[in-house]
Amino acid sequence: MTESKATEQRMPSLSVVIPMFNEIENVGPMVARVHEGLTGYNGDWELLVVDDGSTDGTPKALHKEAEKYGTHVRVVELRRNFGQTAAMQAGIDEARGYLIATLDGDLQNDPADIPRMVAHLLENDLDLLTGWRKNRKDDLVLRKIPSRIANRLIGKITGVRINDYGCSLKIYKASVIKQVRLYGEMHRFIPAWVAAVVPPSRIGEIVVAHNARVAGQSKYGISRTFRVILDLLSVYFFMRYRARPGHFFGSIGLALGSVGGLLLTYLAFVKFILGDDIGNRPLFLIAVVMVIAALQFLTTGVLSELISRTYFESSQRQQYVIYRPTEEKGEEVEAGWKAGQAKASVTTASDDSADHAG
């Protein structure tokens, strides 16, 4: 393929998803910046703005911008404030493009980075490309330091090493991100959730621009650090034990039962061999509690296995994901069949015909 033909090659269809909550001052500039950033995008694209139950007139302003720019600007209104994760999931569900880009509506992410990110994702055959706000324009104590600590902790526990988990500017293949369901405040862990259906080698990172907020108020504070820790426990559990929760609870139960059993064995030796009284020893109470707790964890593991099997069977969800490149590109897949050899049966049929003819 010549260089001119490669340049003229059209890019895949792209859906830009932006959740917004009480950002009326940023509506007009945000929509304008998206159009400016995608002016040279050689492909079909749409803009989905999800209003997360705003109360400051943001929905009205969004509809006004949609009428101004055209039908490719779509407004998705949620009935109330469900949170950024739910708003992002709603936008992903409504997206129609082969690729999906997500970013914040506060203008701190630069939409002009999107075409460059799309080209990088396609060139390196990635399923997810996340932005890295290397020169972040945020407060050092309240935003930067907690974010760095959280990024290192998340990367160490999940095994997906990324410098900036909190950057909302990401590019996904729709066929991959639509296999992942986001709940609670799990938008911070999207790379980890994606790593549950694709290998980490298909997740990339690229430096993007970051601007200081010029209008509106930030919806995050130092308190989110504690929520990240709690959410991280859920991520760790679901990434490793979603299909086998009995192993998680069973391991704890076996550990407690082993220690409790050893303690009771020791106390039995003290009681029956040495003849000492063990009724008033705190160690006896600890051993009994550990054995009871072990039984509870083991039974919880069995019940969780039943719940897990019920979930997969009732929802018809598989424990695996098959990679089909042709289906991702929208191409039809025709199954090939090797024709069976019925030589013997044909011969027999011919012989029978000859007999009847005779």
Side-chain angles (χ1 to χ4, degrees), residues 15-19 46 48-50 74 76 78 84-96 100-102 178:
S15 298
V16 180
V17 175
I18 303 179
E46 64 176 352
L48 289 90
V49 188
V50 183
R74 302 165 57 197
V76 180
L78 303 186
Q84 184 175 355
T85 301
M88 190 174 293
Q89 182 66 67
I92 292 172
D93 290 340
E94 293 292 321
R96 300 172 297 182
I100 298 177
T102 59
K178 289 196 176 187

Side-chain angles (χ1 to χ4, degrees), residues 273-286:
I273 303 300
L274 301 181
D276 295 339
D277 185 20
I278 62 172
N280 296 325
R281 291 194 178 191
L283 190 61
F284 178 70
L285 179 61
I286 294 174

Side-chain angles (χ1 to χ4, degrees), residues 82 85-86 89 180-189 193 231 238 311 317:
F82 289 92
T85 301
Q89 182 66 67
V180 178
R181 304 302 299 178
L182 304 176
Y183 301 97
E185 297 186 7
M186 294 300 181
H187 63 276
R188 303 185 187 96
F189 305 97
W193 290 118
D231 290 339
F238 280 101
Y311 163 74
R317 292 179 64 92

Side-chain angles (χ1 to χ4, degrees), residues 126-281:
L126 301 174
D127 292 319
L128 165 60
L129 181 64
T130 180
W132 176 13
R133 300 166 295 180
K134 193 171 184 178
N135 298 315
R136 189 171 176 179
K137 303 297 189 298
D138 280 324
D139 182 80
L140 177 64
V141 177
L142 295 179
R143 303 294 295 275
K144 289 185 178 180
I145 293 179
S147 180
R148 290 172 183 172
I149 296 174
N151 288 329
R152 292 183 180 180
L153 184 61
I154 295 171
K156 187 173 183 179
I157 291 179
T158 63
V160 183
R161 303 288 181 174
I162 286 179
N163 292 289
D164 192 357
Y165 265 86
C167 183
S168 295
L169 181 53
K170 296 180 175 69
I171 308 292
Y172 317 83
K173 284 185 179 177
S175 58
V176 172
I177 190 59
K178 289 196 176 187
Q179 296 179 23
V180 178
R181 304 302 299 178
L182 304 176
Y183 301 97
E185 297 186 7
M186 294 300 181
H187 63 276
R188 303 185 187 96
F189 305 97
I190 287 179
W193 290 118
V194 172
V197 295
V198 301
S201 60
R202 298 184 65 87
I203 299 175
E205 187 176 35
I206 190 172
V207 176
V208 297
H210 190 247
N211 307 310
R213 176 183 276 271
V214 295
Q217 295 182 351
S218 174
K219 311 302 186 296
Y220 301 103
I222 191 67
S223 60
R224 71 172 181 165
T225 304
F226 304 102
R227 297 198 297 269
V228 167
I229 296 175
L230 295 176
D231 290 339
L232 187 56
L233 295 175
S234 299
V235 172
Y236 177 80
F237 176 82
F238 280 101
M239 283 188 67
R240 286 169 169 76
Y241 300 102
R242 182 182 65 170
R244 49 187 181 92
H247 290 196
F248 176 79
F249 296 105
S251 299
I252 299 175
L254 290 176
L256 291 174
S258 299
V259 176
L262 290 175
L263 292 178
L264 288 178
T265 301
Y266 166 74
L267 292 173
F269 173 79
V270 172
K271 172 68 176 178
F272 298 108
I273 303 300
L274 301 181
D276 295 339
D277 185 20
I278 62 172
N280 296 325
R281 291 194 178 191

